[in-house]
Amino acid sequence: MEEMGKSDAAKREEEILEFWEGNKIFEKSLKKSAPKGEFAFYDGPPFATGLPHYGHIVASVIKDAIPRYKTMRGYHVPRVWGWDCHGLPIENIVEKELGFKHKKDIKEYGVAKFNERCREQVLTYVNEWEKIIPRIGRWADMKNAYRTMDKSFMESVWWVFKQIYDKGLVYEDYRSMHICTRCETTLSQTEVSEGYKDVKDIAVTVKFKAKSTAALSELGIGQDVHLLAWTTTPWTLPGNVALAVGPDITYRAVQYENGKYYVVAKERMAALGLSDANSGLEFSGRQLVGLEYEPLFDYYASDANLKNRENGWKVYAADFITADTGTGIAHEAPAFGADDWELLKREHLPFVQHVNEDGTMKPEVLAFAGMEVKPKSDDDRVRLATDIAVLKHLQDNDNFFSKENIAHAYPHCWRCDTPLLNYATSSWFIAIEKIKDILLATAKDVAWSPAHIKEGRFGKWLEGARDWSISRQRFWASVIPMWTCEECKARKVFGSVAELEEASGERIDDLHKHVLDEIVVPCSCGGVMRRIPDVLDTWFDSGSMPYASRHYPFEDKQEFDSAFPAQFIGEGQDQTRAWFYYLHVLAGALFNKHAFENVIVNGIVLAEDGKKMSKRLKNYPDPMEVVEKYGADAMRFYLLSSSVVVAEDLAFSEKGVDEIAKKNIGRLRNVLSFYTLHDTGITANRMSTHVLDRWIVARLDKTIKEVTEGYEHYALDSATRPLSAFIDDLSAWYVRRSRDRFKEDGPDADAARATLRFVLKHTALLVAPVMPFVSDEIYRSVREEGEPESVHLAEWPDRHEANTELIEAMADVRTLASEALMLRQKAGIVVRQPLPSFSIPRTIPEELATVLADEVNVKNVIMHADSLSLDTRLTQELIAEGDERAFARAVAEARKNEGFSTKDSVRVEHSDDGKHNVELSTGPVRFNLRIN
C-alpha cells in the first residue's frame, strides 16, 4: 500500500521495528542468559519462487510465538532461516520460462545450463521475503540462512544416505509405480496422495475370445466362448498379457446366440444386462484357470523373442479380483499396475510396455503410435482421445461389449497437474517396512496439537507406509552419491566430499548432477566407476534438514547431539504425510529415534466464503494490505486464537482482524494512555488492599496460569483466547471502576497507579509472543530502571495462586450490575440518575457491595438472606427479653463474620407470624433478613 494509506497502527509497528533493528534486540535475545539450555525447533524452509501467502504466514507466526515464549522462559532458541532450492517447483518454473514441453528439451538445451538457470532463479523473491517476514513480527536469522543447494547442506545429505545404505536399508527394484509423463520421473507415495482429482473416464467391457483348447472343451460349453473383462484404462489394452479371475468367485456361461457364450461372474450378470434365462453352466474361478484366449492386438504376441511368451494370454487366479464392480474378470497389463506386476512376477508373465515414459504409444503399436495416453487437458475430447481410439478399434474388430462413463478420483502430478501413469520402472528404495516397528514405537513419544492427529492422520499413514522410492529422473536436486563400475558392476557410496575427492583425485566445489556426472572413479577391477544418473527425491533433502542445516556431522556435532530430537516443530496439516513423515523416517533409520517431541499442526486459510483462496478470483485481501491497515499484531492474534492452529480450516475474515484491532489492541492502548496520563512514577507492585486492585491482580494471576499452560501444551488457542477476556476486564471494569481513584492524591491513588503499572507490565509480558509490537510499546512505557530494554529480553511472569473466591465474587457483582442496568433501561431511568436502593437476593461482602452501588448509581444495596449465623437459643432469649440492643449487637457480630463492620445501625420489627425483620445498614449497604 502507499504510505498515505498506512494506518497509525502500522506506523507504530514500523517504529518498533526500527527500535529492534537499531538496538539489535533479536541478537540480544539470542545472547541473553539461558539457564534452561537449548531449545531446538525445526523450521521448514520455503521456496523463494513466490511471495508469502497466508499459509506461510500462519506457519510463520506459530513458529515465532513458541520461540518467543521459550526465550522468555529461559531457553536459548536458535532461529536460523532456510531456503528450499531443489526439485520440480523450480524446474517447472525454468522450463516454462524457456518454453520447454518435455524432458528431452532440457537434455538438448544442456543439463549444466539448465541447472545454472535454476540456481539463478530459485532465490528470485528473497528480498521480498526478507522484508515481509520481519514485518509480520517474526524473528529469524535470515542473513545466515541455510540453502538446500549449498555444498555443506548437500554433503550432509550424502552422509545421511550413506548411513542408511550401510545399514542395508537402500535397495534397487523394478516395480509398477506412479510416474508423471511430463516431468518423466517417478513419484513417492506421499506425492501421489497429494494430487488426486475427481475426473470422468470411460470404462469398457471387452470381449476376449477363448481359444479352442482341451481346457475349454473340459468346461462343456462349446468352442465359441468370450470372456468379458472390464477396465477403466482402455489405453492399457494393447499391453494386455493375461486375464485374472477370483479363484472362489462363481462364474456363469451366458448364451447370447445359439451356441455362443459369454463368461462372467454370476453376481455381475444383472449389472451387465445378462439374463438368468440364458445362463448355463456355473464354474469356480479355479476351473477357468489355464484357458487361453486370442490377443486383442498382435503387436507383441507374435514376437517369438518375447521372454515368457508361452505364459501369456491365458487366464490366471488372483486374490485381488472381486465381483464388486466390472465383470469379475480383470484384464492384466503388468507394466501399468501394482497388482498386475505382482501377478507377472508370480506367474512369469511376458513383460509388455507399449507406452514410453513420456506417455506416448511406442512406434510398434501401429494403430496408436505417438498418441498420448493421458494428456493434460480440460477438454474431455482431447483428454480421452486415445481411449476413444482404442474403443473404436475394439468395435471394428468385434471385441467391444459395452462402455460406461464413470467419475472417480485419479492421481495427478502435484506440480504440473498432468495425469499420472502407473508404470513399471526401476527405482531405488528405502526399506521402510523393515524399520516400521521402530517408527511406530518412536512415534508414541511425540505429542501432537491437536492430539487426534497422533493416532489419526499421522498414525494411520505411518501404519500403511510402504517402501519409499527415493530416486528421481530429474536434474536440479541432490544426487544419489553412488558410483558403479562399468565392467564389474561394483558399487561405491560416498558419504562426504573428502571421500570422493580422494577416490577421484578431483577437487569438487559443486555437488550437483551436471558436475558430478563428469567425475569418474577408478575401480579395483581396472574399470571405471561412474555415478548412477538418478537424483534424490527432494523430500530426502527435507527429511535431512535437521542434520544438513548444521552440516552435521562435519560441524557442530556435539551441539547437535545434545539438542536432538527437537522440542518443537510446526507446519500445515498436509505435512503430516510429507515433511513430518520424512523427518520421522530418517531419524528412525539413522538413530532409532523420533525427530521431534512436540508438533503444532495448522489448517488451511480459506477465503471468507469458504472457498480456496484464488489470485485469479481475487477473493481474499492481500496479507500485507491487511498488515498495513490493521497492523501485524491484529492479524497475528486473529490467526493464533482461531481454529486454524488446531488443524481446522479457517475462512479468513478481515472483519475478524478489525475486531481484534479494536477490542484487544485498541483497548490495551487506551489503558496505557490512561495510565500515562496519571503516571506519577510510582513503583509497580501488587500489594494494594483495595478490592479492585486485588481483583485485577487475581485476574492477572489466573490469566498467567491459563496462558502458560496453553504454551506448555503447545495449544496456542488456549494460550491466546484468555487474553481477550482479561483485556476486557482490565479496560471495561477495572479502569472504568477505578477512574476516580486516579484523579485523587493520597495512598489509594498511589495504590491504584502502582497496581495498574504492575498489571500493564505483566500484561505486556503475557501478550509478547502473540503481539510482539504492542507488547513492547506497553512494556517500554511502564518499565523501570534496571529492567531489560525490551519486553522480548524480559523473563516470563511468575505464577501466583489466583484468588478464585474474589474472582467469582466479582463476577457475581458484574452479573448483578448487568441485571440492575437492564432494569433501569426497562424502566426508562438513565444511569446518571441516582436511586435510593437496589435489592439483591443474596449477601455479598461490603467492599463489593460498594463497587456494585457505584456501578449502578444507588445509595444503598439492600441484601436479602433467609438465615444468619446466630446461636438460635441466644437469639430467642434476647428477643424474649425484648433486649433489641443486645440482639442488634449479636446481629452485628454475625455480620462481621460475613464481611461487614460492627458500626451498623440496626432496626428490629416483630411480626405477627412470630418472625422478626432485622434491617442492618452500613454506608450504602442495607441488609434485610428474617429470623424465627
Side-chain angles (χ1 to χ4, degrees):
M1 290 178 78
E2 295 179 1
E3 184 69 19
M4 60 179 295
K6 190 175 295 185
S7 67
D8 288 341
K11 291 176 184 176
R12 285 192 299 269
E13 288 183 348
E14 289 179 358
E15 290 174 2
I16 293 168
L17 268 178
E18 290 179 7
F19 166 74
W20 290 345
E21 292 169 3
N23 292 275
K24 298 189 179 300
I25 302 300
F26 173 44
E27 291 80 358
K28 290 176 181 177
S29 75
L30 296 173
K31 295 176 181 177
K32 69 188 289 283
S33 174
K36 294 184 179 179
E38 185 104 342
F39 179 87
F41 90 99
Y42 298 150
D43 190 0
F47 274 100
T49 52
L51 295 174
H53 52 65
Y54 281 102
H56 293 119
I57 289 172
V58 168
S60 263
V61 296
I62 289 173
K63 291 184 288 188
D64 186 62
I66 295 295
R68 285 185 185 275
Y69 168 75
K70 290 296 182 179
T71 298
M72 297 176 76
R73 293 288 284 175
Y75 290 93
H76 175 247
V77 189
R79 281 169 263 184
V80 178
W81 188 263
W83 295 112
D84 199 352
C85 305
H86 284 149
L88 283 174
I90 182 61
E91 285 196 28
N92 289 165
I93 289 171
V94 173
E95 284 179 284
K96 186 176 180 180
E97 181 185 88
L98 296 174
F100 293 169
K101 301 294 184 183
H102 300 284
K103 184 176 175 180
K104 64 181 180 181
D105 297 333
I106 297 173
K107 293 180 178 178
E108 291 171 1
Y109 178 75
V111 174
K113 286 170 61 180
F114 180 79
N115 275 358
E116 290 305 327
R117 189 69 183 143
C118 289
R119 195 195 307 270
E120 293 168 6
Q121 289 289 92
V122 75
L123 300 177
T124 301
Y125 289 93
V126 163
N127 290 338
E128 285 78 1
W129 278 79
E130 289 176 345
K131 293 175 184 175
I132 291 172
I133 293 302
R135 181 60 193 88
I136 62 172
R138 182 172 182 193
W139 277 356
D141 182 1
M142 302 183 82
K143 293 178 181 177
N144 298 300
Y146 68 85
R147 305 184 304 178
T148 62
M149 66 181 179
D150 288 344
K151 178 181 174 183
S152 60
F153 190 100
M154 296 174 74
E155 183 178 29
S156 290
V157 171
W158 284 18
W159 175 84
V160 172
F161 181 87
K162 189 174 190 302
Q163 294 294 307
I164 296 172
Y165 181 86
D166 289 346
K167 290 184 177 185
L169 296 175
V170 177
Y171 67 95
E172 185 181 24
D173 196 12
Y174 200 95
R175 64 177 62 171
S176 188
M177 305 168 58
H178 282 97
I179 67 164
C180 173
T181 56
R182 198 212 70 84
C183 302
E184 293 185 49
T185 188
T186 54
L187 283 84
S188 68
Q189 178 189 6
T190 301
E191 291 169 319
V192 173
S193 71
E194 294 298 322
Y196 275 88
K197 294 183 178 183
D198 290 332
V199 298
K200 293 180 180 178
D201 269 327
I202 299 172
V204 60
T205 301
V206 185
K207 299 189 294 185
F208 289 85
K209 182 172 175 53
K211 287 185 176 181
S212 297
T213 62
L216 182 62
S217 298
E218 288 178 9
L219 294 177
I221 54 174
Q223 298 297 308
D224 202 343
V225 177
H226 285 86
L227 302 158
L228 297 187
W230 183 78
T231 180
T232 60
T233 54
W235 59 268
T236 62
L237 287 168
N240 171 269
V241 296
L243 294 176
V245 295
D248 299 316
I249 294 175
T250 299
Y251 293 86
R252 271 193 177 178
V254 182
Q255 184 173 253
Y256 64 96
E257 285 183 21
N258 189 29
K260 297 182 178 181
Y261 292 87
Y262 293 137
V263 174
V264 66
K266 180 180 178 180
E267 291 181 43
R268 301 304 302 162
M269 288 175 56
L272 293 166
L274 298 174
S275 172
D276 276 344
N278 297 325
S279 63
L281 299 175
E282 290 188 357
F283 318 93
S284 70
R286 287 185 177 84
Q287 290 176 278
L288 299 177
V289 172
L291 289 180
E292 298 180 39
Y293 62 90
E294 297 176 3
L296 298 178
F297 305 91
D298 63 359
Y299 304 130
Y300 300 98
S302 59
D303 182 0
N305 296 318
L306 180 65
K307 185 178 179 181
N308 296 328
R309 176 170 169 260
E310 68 278 6
N311 297 329
W313 298 278
K314 296 180 181 179
V315 176
Y316 292 90
D319 291 335
F320 57 82
I321 302 300
T322 70
D324 296 335
T325 57
T327 67
I329 302 176
H331 119 79
E332 299 298 304
F336 309 102
D339 289 334
D340 305 33
W341 180 256
E342 292 304 313
L343 185 65
L344 174 144
K345 291 195 296 183
R346 189 185 79 203
E347 302 292 351
H348 304 290
L349 299 176
F351 177 67
V352 170
Q353 195 167 54
H354 66 287
V355 177
N356 294 306
E357 199 167 337
D358 66 359
T360 59
M361 293 276 197
K362 291 182 177 179
E364 61 265 29
V365 188
L366 299 178
F368 317 107
M371 296 184 71
E372 284 190 74
V373 299
K374 278 288 182 182
K376 175 184 174 181
S377 177
D378 294 329
D379 186 338
D380 286 348
R381 292 171 299 179
V382 175
R383 189 173 58 83
L384 300 173
T386 302
D387 286 342
I388 293 169
V390 172
L391 259 65
K392 187 175 185 306
H393 186 282
L394 297 175
Q395 291 168 334
D396 292 345
N397 291 273
D398 196 28
N399 296 121
F400 176 83
F401 179 82
S402 66
K403 74 176 180 69
E404 60 182 304
N405 295 320
I406 61 168
H408 63 152
Y410 191 88
H412 291 66
C413 179
W414 65 286
R415 286 308 307 174
C416 68
D417 277 344
T418 300
L420 303 180
L421 300 188
N422 217 318
Y423 194 88
T425 187
S426 176
S427 182
W428 288 89
F429 296 86
I430 290 180
I432 300 298
E433 295 185 44
K434 277 189 179 180
I435 59 171
K436 189 179 286 189
D437 288 346
I438 293 171
L439 300 178
L440 291 170
T442 56
K444 294 177 180 178
D445 297 323
V446 181
W448 293 78
S449 178
H452 64 79
I453 289 181
K454 180 172 185 172
E455 301 296 336
R457 187 178 174 92
F458 183 79
K460 291 190 180 340
W461 180 260
L462 194 57
E463 287 174 2
R466 299 192 294 271
D467 288 358
W468 172 15
S469 168
I470 57 171
S471 55
R472 299 291 179 270
Q473 298 72 48
R474 294 300 297 185
F475 310 100
W476 180 243
S478 288
V479 303
I480 296 180
M482 181 186 297
W483 272 250
T484 60
C485 179
E486 296 173 339
E487 301 296 329
C488 70
K489 307 305 178 186
R491 293 174 183 159
K492 185 169 181 59
V493 173
F494 295 96
S496 71
V497 173
E499 290 176 17
L500 180 57
E501 287 182 336
E502 182 180 353
S504 66
E506 300 277 356
R507 178 175 174 78
I508 301 167
D509 295 316
D510 187 349
L511 303 188
H512 286 94
K513 174 181 172 65
H514 62 283
V515 175
L516 295 180
D517 284 357
E518 302 300 318
I519 303 295
V520 296
V521 175
C523 182
S524 58
C525 76
V528 173
M529 305 183 89
R530 296 187 182 277
R531 197 190 70 80
I532 65 172
D534 289 356
V535 297
L536 283 165
D537 178 5
T538 51
W539 285 114
F540 198 96
D541 270 8
S542 302
S544 301
M545 170 264 159
Y547 329 105
S549 62
R550 301 182 69 158
H551 198 205
Y552 181 88
F554 309 101
E555 297 179 53
D556 297 333
K557 187 176 188 303
Q558 186 174 350
E559 293 86 343
F560 175 86
D561 289 342
S562 65
F564 183 84
Q567 286 99 319
F568 165 63
I569 189 172
E571 289 292 344
Q573 189 170 206
D574 57 327
Q575 298 304 321
T576 53
R577 298 176 177 180
W579 192 42
F580 298 153
Y581 169 71
Y582 291 116
L583 285 169
H584 188 70
V585 162
L586 292 186
L590 289 169
F591 305 116
N592 293 347
K593 289 184 178 181
H594 50 290
F596 42 83
E597 295 176 347
N598 300 282
V599 195
I600 295 177
V601 182
N602 64 266
I604 299 171
V605 182
L606 304 171
E608 191 166 5
D609 60 4
K611 296 179 181 178
K612 184 178 179 180
M613 288 187 169
S614 166
K615 289 182 180 179
R616 180 177 59 83
L617 297 176
K618 298 181 179 179
N619 61 349
Y620 66 94
D622 180 274
M624 295 316 295
E625 289 182 4
V626 173
V627 169
E628 297 288 71
K629 190 173 181 180
Y630 305 102
D633 277 345
M635 184 167 70
R636 287 172 63 111
F637 193 96
Y638 171 73
L639 293 172
L640 292 175
S641 60
S642 75
S643 60
V644 80
V645 298
V646 288
E648 295 180 13
D649 293 345
L650 170 68
F652 185 86
S653 169
E654 190 173 338
K655 292 179 182 177
V657 181
D658 181 42
E659 187 173 331
I660 294 294
K662 291 173 180 173
K663 290 189 176 180
N664 290 288
I665 299 171
R667 283 180 173 178
L668 268 180
R669 295 196 73 258
N670 287 341
V671 173
L672 178 62
S673 296
F674 176 80
Y675 167 79
T676 304
L677 180 65
H678 298 284
D679 179 27
T680 60
I682 194 166
T683 301
N685 70 70
R686 54 178 289 145
M687 305 308 294
S688 173
T689 59
H690 192 284
V691 67
L692 284 169
D693 295 339
R694 292 183 359 251
W695 170 75
I696 194 61
V697 168
R699 280 290 291 114
L700 176 66
D701 289 338
K702 183 172 184 286
T703 306
I704 289 172
K705 179 178 183 291
E706 292 170 338
V707 172
T708 302
E709 289 178 351
Y711 279 123
E712 289 298 318
H713 291 93
Y714 296 86
L716 290 177
D717 54 336
S718 298
T720 51
R721 290 176 184 172
L723 295 171
S724 294
F726 176 74
I727 291 168
D728 179 70
D729 284 352
L730 176 63
S731 171
W733 190 251
Y734 175 75
V735 170
R736 190 166 60 79
R737 288 270 39 90
S738 301
R739 192 174 297 274
D740 290 342
R741 298 170 61 209
F742 283 84
K743 297 176 183 178
E744 303 170 357
D745 292 322
D748 185 52
D750 287 343
R753 294 186 184 103
T755 300
L756 184 53
R757 186 172 193 174
F758 175 86
V759 170
L760 277 172
K761 188 186 300 182
H762 283 71
T763 302
L765 296 171
L766 272 185
V767 304
V770 63
M771 293 189 287
F773 293 103
V774 73
S775 62
D776 223 6
E777 178 187 0
I778 295 169
Y779 180 84
R780 288 163 58 207
S781 298
V782 298
R783 64 179 284 269
E784 299 175 61
E785 188 175 350
E787 293 179 335
E789 62 190 301
S790 167
V791 71
H792 305 296
L793 301 178
E795 301 301 317
W796 190 252
D798 294 330
R799 286 173 62 169
H800 295 266
E801 194 62 38
N803 185 342
T804 54
E805 290 184 5
L806 178 56
I807 292 172
E808 291 170 2
M810 188 67 81
D812 186 36
V813 166
R814 295 181 73 175
T815 299
L816 292 168
S818 295
E819 292 173 358
L821 295 173
M822 191 177 296
L823 291 172
R824 274 183 172 273
Q825 185 179 17
K826 287 181 179 179
I829 303 172
V830 295
V831 178
R832 66 176 178 271
Q833 179 181 340
L835 295 175
S837 66
F838 170 48
S839 296
I840 60 175
R842 50 189 172 275
T843 64
I844 59 175
E846 175 185 351
E847 56 188 356
L848 291 179
T850 302
V851 173
L852 177 59
D854 289 344
E855 173 68 8
V856 299
N857 196 11
V858 297
K859 294 181 179 179
N860 294 300
V861 175
I862 302 173
M863 295 181 281
H864 298 273
D866 294 326
S867 63
L868 195 62
S869 54
L870 291 174
D871 180 88
T872 303
R873 183 182 59 78
L874 175 61
T875 304
Q876 290 173 344
E877 288 177 0
L878 290 172
I879 293 175
E881 295 174 3
D883 189 347
E884 294 186 5
R885 186 174 296 279
F887 177 70
R889 284 198 302 271
V891 171
E893 184 64 28
R895 291 299 291 129
K896 179 182 178 182
N897 294 336
E898 301 200 15
F900 281 80
S901 168
T902 55
K903 298 178 180 179
D904 301 322
S905 59
V906 179
R907 184 169 59 85
V908 178
E909 293 180 355
H910 302 277
S911 60
D912 296 336
D913 60 2
K915 296 185 177 181
H916 308 280
N917 294 322
V918 180
E919 183 180 277
L920 177 66
S921 171
T922 172
V925 182
R926 184 172 297 164
F927 171 73
N928 283 3
L929 70 155
R930 289 166 63 80
I931 299 179
N932 293 326

